Amino acid sequence: MNEEPTQLLASVRQFGIQLSATPRGARLARLLAVEQLRTWELDAVADAAAQIVAELASNAATHGHVSGRDFQLRMFALPDVLRIEVTDTRADRLPEMRTPGDGDGGGESGRGLVLVDALASRGWGVELGPPPRKTVWAQVELAPPGRPLA
């Protein structure tokens, strides 16, 4: 008898939306992200995720804005991590993490990225492409079932 190995595939919950690169679009991104996390019953990370989405979407609307082009918010909930991605069309303006007193390097708002760095328990970064896009991502650890977040 030929037995095939049983393989369990982890389910990935996905959410994505394209929004106008305006302050209103950034606010809507945060509100929609929080509502989606409630739907996924990920209330434990909703506050941290809302802050991350608010900062990344605000940066996309402020520093990544190109007239007539939108930004995109995507979230992926895997068993152990929530990945948040915001894509805009200004790959020439990369985010820089700055502390108070640093000069303006011409990139995206660096002070808010200090907050993203603190809240993204699994890290954050930037991916370029395809031109002219860039995606700024952040990951937040999810507690395994039955274990609360620390």
Side-chain angles (χ1 to χ4, degrees):
M1 183 161 124
N2 188 5
E3 290 186 35
E4 292 189 28
T6 303
Q7 188 175 18
L8 298 176
L9 299 175
S11 96
V12 176
R13 293 167 285 181
Q14 301 179 46
F15 171 79
I17 190 163
Q18 189 168 326
L19 298 161
S20 64
T22 62
R24 184 176 185 203
R27 284 190 303 273
L28 186 56
R30 182 183 56 79
L31 293 171
L32 291 171
V34 168
E35 186 58 35
Q36 186 61 54
L37 292 170
R38 285 188 183 134
T39 300
W40 289 341
E41 298 179 357
L42 296 176
D43 298 320
V45 297
D47 289 341
Q51 292 291 329
I52 291 169
V53 168
E55 178 58 31
L56 298 184
S58 176
N59 281 352
T62 304
H63 305 288
H65 175 75
V66 174
S67 184
R69 295 186 182 165
D70 298 333
F71 74 92
Q72 191 173 62
L73 165 67
R74 289 186 307 273
M75 295 190 307
F76 304 91
L78 292 97
D80 63 341
V81 70
L82 172 68
R83 183 177 173 99
I84 300 164
E85 298 180 351
V86 174
T87 302
D88 65 44
T89 55
R90 288 294 304 264
D92 60 319
R93 297 197 65 160
L94 297 178
E96 301 171 16
M97 191 164 58
R98 295 190 304 265
T99 56
D102 287 351
D104 182 11
E108 293 184 3
S109 174
R111 290 187 190 104
L113 290 173
V114 172
L115 178 64
V116 170
D117 187 57
L119 294 171
S121 54
R122 296 288 277 292
W124 70 277
V126 181
E127 295 174 0
L128 298 177
R133 295 178 190 93
K134 77 166 172 300
T135 299
V136 183
W137 58 268
Q139 296 184 144
V140 178
E141 184 173 4
L142 299 176
R147 191 190 86 185
L149 285 172

